[in-house]
Amino acid sequence: MREFRSFFGFFALGVLSLCLLFFGCGRQNALDQRDPAIGNVSAVPAARLLFRYEADVPPPQLPAEVAVDSRDLRIVADFDQNRPLDELDRTITTPDGRRILAVYHRSGDLPGEFRLDLYSGDGKLLRPVTPDNLAVHFHDIIRWSPDSSALAFVGTLRETAVAAPTPTPVVETAEQPPSEDAQSLEPTATFSPTPALPPVMAFRTEQIYLCNPDGDDLRPVTRNEGFIYYYFAWSPNSRMLAAMAVHRREWEELERRADASGLLLTPLGRPRIIELNGRERRLDDALTAVRPVWSPDSAKIAIAFDTQLRIYDAEGDNPTQAAIPLRNELLISSKAYDDAQAAKLGATNAGEAVASQAPQPSSLPDPSSLVSFNPIVQVEWTAPDTIYFETAFVKPMKNAADSVTSFVRWHRIILSPLPANLNR
């Protein structure tokens, strides 16, 4: 009996050891599946990211942007020959080259209000996009989606539609009646060749509109009258928009302050994600002048508030966000930058060599003593784990000759996942 009990005890101990070993392996496998490899941050929530700051790096290599005043010569010729009452402002071609959007205005339109017509890729007029009751605003942010499947723009109600002018009648005199040849050369009114469209729902403040590449299914994707949507950017997968919006009263106050100071208006807004079905998620309550950027995989959005970067998950049932405070890092690197510039200037004047590296400060520098310590003014997400950001002193004046942009410096952060042992 004693031998049986001893055998049973050893058997139970062995089973328990195998269970513990199996459970430990299973737990480790679960951790390995949950935590991606270092450097792969696409599937990692924003709240579980680490970062490494690198100061004063070369500017990022960004894709060339099409000039705002770029115009397709074939569309220019069509406007010159067939549409003398319409003035072409710019053209925007789809990424696949199959469609060209003409952005134009008429003599009776208010400044800053535009109309849209659609052309084929070979320069043939297809149809109008916007009806007469809808005025397009902020023509510099009109965007085709990256996959060419949709067009997005900002529009508002055109309160007074101005009809095309009619020709002045020619008074014929009995002394010298006009000949048939002269009558055939007399100018006549030429109206826009595109037919009128039925009205679309329009609002008294700027909203975002979408349509397909054939100009059909035009609809407002935002319907928040009272808010001004003044900027948006397509996600790389063409499924969402990152937008900036501000209440009309705040916009008017910003305009008043800018006018009083002789400055150009710099809009301040709050970032949000807008899905193509109209669902909207505001990302932050704080105001910023920096525009949001998408990660290359469309998984996240980054934006800056003064000296802080913030990252937001774009999808998921429980999206997270993370704040990356960079004030201390920027203070230290600005101190090193200012000292290096001063040393370089002094060494140049004295004909001496410049010290390769400045010593680390023992305390945080005084920001008022640093000319290169400035807020973040631009963010660029160039790789899934790399975010560039620019700091600068910017003062845009109404008189362009008085505008100031100085101490432009680029920095970057390198993202990495939180280690598994800290992620429990």
Side-chain angles (χ1 to χ4, degrees), residues 11-274:
F11 177 77
L13 181 62
V15 171
L16 179 62
S17 300
L18 288 174
C19 290
L20 291 174
L21 179 61
F22 176 79
F23 176 78
C25 293
R27 176 179 174 83
Q28 184 62 42
N29 288 336
L31 287 174
D32 292 342
Q33 293 176 1
R34 185 184 64 186
D35 297 316
I38 297 298
N40 179 19
V41 300
S42 298
V44 179
R48 296 179 179 177
L49 290 173
L50 299 177
F51 75 94
R52 183 179 77 251
Y53 169 72
E54 297 180 356
D56 296 296
V57 298
Q61 298 295 321
L62 302 175
E65 293 187 359
V66 178
V68 173
D69 59 352
S70 176
R71 301 191 302 172
D72 187 286
L73 295 180
R74 295 166 299 180
I75 313 300
V76 172
D78 181 64
F79 270 73
D80 291 342
Q81 296 171 12
N82 305 315
R83 310 180 60 169
L85 298 181
D86 299 333
E87 184 172 345
L88 181 65
D89 292 278
R90 62 179 303 206
T91 57
I92 310 170
T93 305
T94 55
D96 62 11
R98 295 182 61 248
R99 293 288 185 266
I100 303 174
L101 186 73
V103 184
Y104 68 99
H105 68 275
R106 293 177 182 165
S107 58
D109 294 342
L110 297 176
E113 293 189 347
F114 304 91
R115 303 168 187 262
L116 306 178
D117 283 355
L118 195 63
Y119 283 73
S120 63
D122 56 1
K124 299 296 194 315
L125 178 62
L126 296 178
R127 56 163 296 168
V129 175
T130 53
D132 285 338
N133 75 315
L134 184 64
V136 178
H137 286 197
F138 312 131
H139 75 96
D140 57 323
I141 62 166
I142 300 171
R143 294 287 187 273
W144 290 102
S145 61
D147 64 359
S148 302
S149 65
L151 172 71
F153 62 91
V154 171
T156 186
L157 176 67
R158 190 187 302 276
E159 296 185 358
T160 56
V162 179
T166 57
T168 303
V170 178
V171 179
E172 299 182 3
T173 61
E175 291 77 9
Q176 188 177 358
S179 64
E180 294 182 1
D181 292 339
Q183 288 180 357
S184 64
L185 296 176
E186 288 177 0
T188 58
T190 304
F191 296 89
S192 176
T194 55
L197 294 176
V200 68
M201 179 180 289
F203 302 83
R204 293 176 181 84
T205 56
E206 288 80 352
Q207 304 295 311
I208 299 176
Y209 286 76
L210 293 177
C211 72
N212 63 29
D214 295 321
D216 298 319
D217 194 25
L218 176 65
R219 69 191 190 281
V221 72
T222 62
R223 303 186 179 202
N224 296 328
E225 189 160 72
F227 283 84
I228 296 174
Y229 291 79
Y230 64 89
Y231 177 78
F232 64 84
W234 281 99
S235 61
N237 62 10
S238 302
R239 293 171 52 187
M240 294 172 287
L241 297 168
M244 296 291 287
V246 63
H247 197 276
R248 178 175 56 187
R249 290 194 297 269
E250 294 175 297
W251 181 282
E252 292 170 350
E253 177 61 18
L254 291 171
E255 281 186 321
R256 186 191 64 80
R257 294 180 183 178
D259 289 340
S261 303
L263 296 170
L264 286 175
L265 172 65
T266 300
L268 301 177
R270 299 173 180 88
R272 55 203 68 210
I273 293 175
I274 301 171

